Amino acid sequence: LEKEPARRYPSAAALADDGPKIAMVAEELCIGCCRCSKVCPTDAIIGAAKQIHNVFREACTGCSSCIEKCPTEALVMKPVPV
């Protein structure tokens, strides 16, 4: 049997009102500054400098650290897709 990876749980803030949330990148606003990826505690944000970044949703815990660091407001918290 193959062992499943440990499931990370969203923070209490991410559970407010409409369930758990994860970060999503608004591609038209991302300037590839890498500030978000540097503060992500789970390395859920991937992308090279000056390139549009993406969030690996299985790794995002919904902590919203990236939201606070983004200078262009390219990151938003969205409900976890089912």
Side-chain angles (χ1 to χ4, degrees):
L1 289 169
E2 199 170 310
K3 189 176 178 182
E4 290 186 21
R7 181 77 178 135
R8 292 187 171 89
Y9 295 97
S11 67
L15 292 171
D17 298 335
D18 51 351
K21 296 179 182 178
I22 58 173
M24 300 277 195
V25 178
E27 294 181 1
E28 66 277 4
L29 298 175
C30 181
I31 58 172
C33 69
C34 298
R35 292 179 191 172
C36 57
S37 59
K38 289 177 183 174
V39 298
C40 181
T42 61
D43 295 325
I45 302 172
I46 54 175
K50 299 184 181 178
Q51 301 293 319
I52 295 171
H53 287 59
N54 288 302
V55 177
F56 182 56
R57 68 175 160 183
E58 287 81 8
C60 181
T61 63
C63 73
S64 72
S65 295
C66 56
I67 304 289
E68 298 163 17
K69 286 291 180 181
C70 183
T72 63
E73 298 181 0
L75 287 151
V76 292
M77 298 303 288
K78 299 270 186 163
V80 175
V82 268

